[in-house]
Amino acid sequence: MARPAMVMGTETEYGIYVRGGFDGPYEKAIDFANEAIRSALRDSPVCMGRQLEVSYGNRNNLYQHIANGARFYIDCGHPEMSIPECPTPRDVVIWDGAGERIVQAAARDASRDTGMKISIVKKLTDGRGHTWGCHENYCIEPELFEGLMAEGVRPIEQRIVGTWFAIRQLLIGGGKIGSDDVDRENAFQLSQRADFILDFRNSSTTSNRPIIQTRDEPLAEKALWRRLHVICGDANLCQWSTYLKMGLTGLLLLMLQDDTARRRSPLPLIDGETHQTIMRHISHDNDLEMSFPVRISSGIGRLSDKYWMSAAKIIGFYLRALRAYVKKRAWASPQEAAVYEAIVTKAQWMTSLLEKRNWRALYGWLDWPTKRVVAEEYLHRKNKTWKDALNDDTLLDRLRLLADHSYAALDPDVSIYARLARAGIIRTVVKESEIARALMTPPAGRASQRSALIEAYLPYLVSAHWDRMQFQQSPFAVAVFLDDPMGSPDEALSAALKVCATPLDLFIEHSEGNCIPHLRIVKEMLK
């Protein structure tokens, strides 16, 4: 297996709503529905074995390892699916889609078992000031990670990444009815998350949320790999939005790791210390009329005078730099190169339309244009305008129900997005058959090997984390560490599992010199 350029993945918290079948406070009904989903999923064929326990700070949580390498749990009152580590952004689209189907199937079964109507939506706000997250993870080199985390004067890589996160919502925003920012009232905006991003860089995820999140939890060998945890993005249903989100961001991080490529690339950087404010301005600029202050970086630290550019023009600079990098990079395979080439090519076409303010041409391609067309068609039928909606709470709530809740619903019987997909309006990246296969099959790499180890030694399993598994085979505990997020050679592990019936056998085989690359096994006596 050729080693991929970038390992990446998503963690999606889903909105959950219930109706009927429960007497008592609504908050208790949500708790009951979450437990019902957890129980339904535990008994699903896509799951492997029993639920396991993991500790987060002072609280314990149950999680379920999915056969496809993902992990499911309930986090802060929301069903959350963390997809497996993926070697390409195209794989992220596939396994993200599989996650949607797994969660919806569990909600359907839980509704049947409880008599409640449990609805799952893929969006990040309730329109009443509350948000939850769709997080991204990118495995990067330690040097770049340290630069992004540095305190004090912002190094160039921080300013590049901060600018990118502020402007990329023009392509990958999930769209939103209404506003949670009291200083900027809008009936429609590009991003679900922008109103809640209030700082440039910190470690928070639940308050004062930042553009650059400083969590340092590599889930790999720390000296070799670090995990950039991104919390400022949106949840997406359109496959092209997810594809662009993961592919362009991953490609930018790869370019920043390549010192030569970075020095070649003049890039506009948001001027001043207000990336998060400009992020909110861009989200509210739904007619694409505003310009923003930038300085052009020479790539080696020198900055030009101040310019004013539209968000689309800023993105155009980044895409030209990324296209040049795609052509010059030595890729692991032609297929990997083709994935990133396709992403940049399509992004440049979309950005050219947005520069002309022709966002309607992206109906069916990207989430926010699609959601906006749905909302405007409803307003047209009612002979109303966006101004009317802003001044009429009843109309605004009706739009929220239609273009936020119903659009984002996972239930195909009620989902507007699913209806558009059946009508052939939604443009896809991957085949439905690929998503169906991914319900129980992991992507290549560490996820595949983790699932193979769990399947082989399930009776001995105590815990299964991203980078380590704990088995008990009395009188020993055997810990298996997968320190490399790209995984070890599949054939080496497969050969070992064929001759090692137990975790202890695997330890002995490994210690006798029949080593599996990137695998570390530790044995100790049970206490």
Side-chain angles (χ1 to χ4, degrees):
M1 179 186 72
R3 290 173 68 75
M6 171 72 68
V7 174
M8 56 184 69
T10 60
E11 310 163 30
T12 303
E13 297 175 19
Y14 292 92
I16 179 170
Y17 299 85
V18 298
R19 188 173 69 249
F22 190 89
D23 294 325
Y26 187 73
E27 292 77 12
K28 293 291 185 182
I30 291 293
D31 291 342
F32 185 77
N34 274 320
E35 286 304 313
I37 289 174
R38 194 206 308 269
S39 296
L41 188 57
R42 181 192 60 212
D43 299 330
S44 167
V46 303
C47 289
M48 300 184 75
R50 64 192 182 284
Q51 290 175 346
L52 303 166
E53 189 172 279
V54 64
S55 294
Y56 293 106
N58 297 322
R59 61 190 176 94
N60 292 330
N61 202 350
L62 290 172
Y63 66 91
Q64 180 70 58
H65 189 83
I66 310 298
N68 71 4
R71 176 186 286 183
F72 174 85
Y73 44 94
I74 305 298
D75 188 21
C76 298
H78 293 272
E80 179 164 347
M81 181 67 76
S82 294
I83 71 168
E85 311 94 314
C86 292
T88 74
R90 190 178 189 279
D91 291 316
V92 173
V93 174
I94 294 171
W95 272 268
D96 187 67
E100 292 173 8
R101 286 150 182 76
I102 290 169
V103 173
Q104 171 55 28
R108 180 200 61 214
D109 293 346
S111 295
R112 179 200 62 209
D113 296 341
T114 63
M116 305 168 74
K117 175 57 180 174
I118 302 172
S119 299
I120 301 295
V121 294
K122 195 179 186 186
K123 61 171 185 158
L124 299 186
T125 174
D126 61 2
R128 298 292 185 269
H130 304 101
T131 185
W132 45 95
C134 180
H135 301 168
E136 305 151 50
N137 295 293
Y138 302 91
C139 189
I140 62 177
E141 295 175 358
E143 183 179 2
L144 175 58
F145 183 86
E146 295 298 339
L148 293 174
M149 301 302 114
E151 300 288 344
V153 178
R154 295 176 184 171
I156 191 69
E157 55 264 47
Q158 275 188 24
R159 301 187 66 176
I160 290 172
V161 169
T163 299
W164 173 249
F165 285 156
I167 64 170
R168 66 177 188 160
Q169 62 191 300
L170 189 64
L171 288 172
I172 58 91
K176 175 180 174 180
I177 303 297
S179 175
D180 292 284
D181 184 345
V182 295
D183 295 327
R184 275 174 284 272
E185 288 295 327
N186 274 65
F188 183 84
Q189 56 179 308
L190 310 187
S191 170
Q192 304 160 16
R193 192 69 158 165
D195 283 347
F196 301 95
I197 303 301
L198 303 178
D199 200 1
F200 180 73
R201 186 186 65 252
N202 67 45
S203 62
S204 180
T205 55
T206 58
S207 63
N208 200 34
R209 297 173 183 88
I211 283 184
I212 296 179
Q213 218 262 358
T214 60
R215 177 183 293 180
D216 187 6
E217 188 183 9
L219 303 179
E221 176 53 53
K222 189 171 184 177
L224 300 176
W225 303 103
R226 305 293 270 278
R227 179 175 64 116
L228 181 63
H229 187 61
V230 180
I231 71 167
C232 62
D234 283 0
N236 296 111
L237 284 161
C238 284
Q239 292 182 7
W240 271 103
S241 292
T242 300
Y243 201 28
L244 296 178
K245 175 172 65 179
M246 304 303 297
L248 294 175
T249 303
L251 191 56
L252 179 66
L253 293 169
L254 286 171
M255 188 179 77
L256 291 178
Q257 291 176 169
D258 185 330
D259 190 58
T260 302
R262 187 180 73 183
R263 287 171 178 264
R264 278 198 298 260
S265 306
L267 295 172
L269 307 180
I270 289 174
D271 188 47
E273 307 297 314
T274 57
H275 293 71
Q276 62 273 19
T277 302
I278 286 180
M279 183 176 186
R280 296 197 294 279
H281 277 300
I282 292 172
S283 180
H284 288 257
D285 180 31
N286 52 70
D287 289 325
L288 313 183
E289 295 174 338
M290 295 180 66
S291 294
F292 305 96
V294 298
R295 296 183 188 272
I296 308 296
S297 164
S298 64
I300 55 176
R302 290 192 296 269
L303 298 177
S304 72
D305 293 335
K306 185 185 294 187
Y307 292 89
W308 290 83
M309 291 185 183
S310 69
K313 187 170 286 294
I314 297 171
I315 287 177
F317 270 84
Y318 279 73
L319 294 179
R320 286 191 290 276
L322 293 178
R323 174 172 286 283
Y325 179 65
V326 167
K327 291 184 178 300
K328 287 179 168 52
R329 181 183 171 88
W331 295 97
S333 68
Q335 293 78 16
E336 185 180 51
V339 163
Y340 287 99
E341 176 74 25
I343 289 169
V344 176
T345 298
K346 194 65 73 176
Q348 287 186 307
W349 169 72
M350 293 175 176
T351 302
S352 69
L353 293 172
L354 294 170
E355 280 200 73
K356 301 169 187 173
R357 301 179 187 171
N358 185 15
W359 57 267
R360 287 181 176 275
L362 298 175
Y363 175 53
W365 288 92
L366 302 178
D367 278 303
W368 77 257
T370 305
K371 188 176 287 188
R372 184 169 172 179
V373 168
V374 168
E376 290 189 349
E377 286 180 348
Y378 175 80
L379 289 171
H380 180 71
R381 291 195 299 272
K382 298 297 182 182
N383 197 28
K384 299 291 184 179
T385 66
W386 284 113
K387 185 176 181 179
D388 294 327
L390 195 58
N391 296 317
D392 183 341
D393 288 342
T394 301
L395 178 58
L396 195 64
D397 283 342
R398 178 58 187 159
L399 283 174
R400 277 198 185 97
L401 181 62
L402 177 78
D404 267 345
H405 189 90
S406 296
Y407 177 90
L410 294 191
D411 183 348
D413 293 334
V414 301
S415 167
I416 289 177
Y417 174 85
R419 187 189 72 197
L420 295 175
R422 289 193 294 270
I425 293 170
I426 300 297
R427 308 301 184 99
T428 58
V429 175
V430 302
K431 298 176 182 178
E432 189 62 33
S433 59
E434 293 178 281
I435 296 175
R437 180 177 178 274
L439 295 175
M440 297 188 66
T441 305
R446 185 169 71 175
S448 175
Q449 289 137 25
R450 189 172 56 244
S451 292
L453 284 159
I454 292 172
E455 183 177 14
Y457 303 134
L458 187 59
Y460 306 95
L461 182 66
V462 176
S463 64
H465 300 287
W466 299 108
D467 57 338
R468 67 190 185 278
M469 280 152 288
Q470 190 81 19
F471 301 97
Q472 286 188 1
Q473 186 177 349
S474 186
F476 298 107
V478 178
V480 179
F481 295 86
L482 292 163
D483 292 328
D484 189 335
M486 296 186 180
S488 57
D490 285 324
E491 59 275 10
L493 180 60
S494 297
L497 292 179
K498 286 179 181 178
V499 298
C500 299
T502 70
L504 189 56
D505 292 335
L506 186 68
F507 169 78
I508 294 170
E509 180 81 2
H510 200 62
S511 62
E512 288 180 347
N514 299 314
C515 295
I516 305 168
H518 313 297
L519 199 70
R520 184 163 52 94
I521 306 177
V522 177
K523 180 191 76 171
E524 60 182 22
M525 294 293 295
L526 287 170
K527 297 179 180 178

